[in-house]
Amino acid sequence: MNLKQIAKDTAKTLQSYLTYQALRTVLAQLGETNPPLELWLHNFSSGKIQNGESFIEQLLREKPDLALRIMTVREHIAEEIIEFLPEMVRSGIQQANMEQRRHHLERITRIDISNLSLQPEQQATSDQNLDNLSN
């Protein structure tokens, strides 16, 4: 397990996600101030936002002012959440793991009620068969 590579991949994924969140923020702002530009950006970004850096590069070629705006918003979001992020991720994973383990334990220890309701009937039938054999 290469922890350094995992950290790099995680950072890249988070960076792309923050680009997506910045895009959503800018789209909302444009929806209030410049609906035609909001529509253009929405159409332009469709299917391109999976890789945040690639999206920014493409947008810089088309509309540099929008790309710079998204980068500024992305940086602001990162600065605001960075303090809380490590603990939130750690506790979120611990909580999710505990829930998954609890659901798994419930699933593997669940008693099948339909089998329990059949057992008394099967027992009575079995008892009658034994009585018939002894007669």
Side-chain angles (χ1 to χ4, degrees):
M1 175 173 20
N2 185 346
L3 293 179
K4 190 171 184 176
Q5 186 60 46
I6 292 171
K8 283 182 178 180
D9 293 345
T10 302
K12 185 176 180 179
T13 300
L14 181 58
Q15 194 170 328
S16 286
Y17 182 73
L18 293 178
T19 303
Y20 165 74
Q21 288 297 330
L23 171 65
R24 287 185 56 195
T25 300
V26 170
L27 284 169
Q29 293 167 348
L30 290 174
E32 294 177 8
T33 61
N34 190 343
L37 187 56
E38 184 252 349
L39 180 61
W40 181 90
L41 182 57
H42 177 77
N43 290 336
F44 176 83
S45 63
S46 182
K48 296 179 183 170
I49 196 65
Q50 294 298 324
N51 181 329
E53 294 316 299
S54 175
F55 168 74
I56 293 290
E57 287 174 24
Q58 292 173 33
L59 188 56
L60 277 167
R61 288 186 208 109
E62 294 288 325
K63 295 210 182 277
D65 55 327
L66 283 177
L68 294 171
R69 184 172 176 177
I70 290 171
M71 289 189 300
T72 300
V73 171
R74 175 178 70 172
E75 188 172 351
H76 174 73
I77 293 170
E79 288 171 1
E80 292 297 316
I81 68 166
I82 198 70
E83 178 182 336
F84 309 106
L85 198 57
E87 182 55 36
M88 289 177 78
V89 170
R90 191 175 11 263
S91 65
I93 287 174
Q94 289 170 346
Q95 182 67 31
N97 284 350
M98 186 170 51
E99 284 294 311
Q100 291 295 345
R101 287 180 179 118
R102 184 179 61 80
H103 288 301
H104 178 68
L105 183 60
E106 287 173 355
R107 207 172 21 256
I108 64 172
T109 59
R110 183 177 52 221
I111 298 173
D112 191 352
I113 295 172
S114 62
N115 283 342
L116 288 178
S117 64
L118 290 177
Q119 286 180 351
E121 288 177 9
Q122 290 171 344
Q123 184 65 37
T125 304
S126 189
D127 290 345
Q128 286 177 350
N129 289 342
L130 288 174
D131 287 342
N132 288 341
L133 286 174
S134 61
N135 289 338

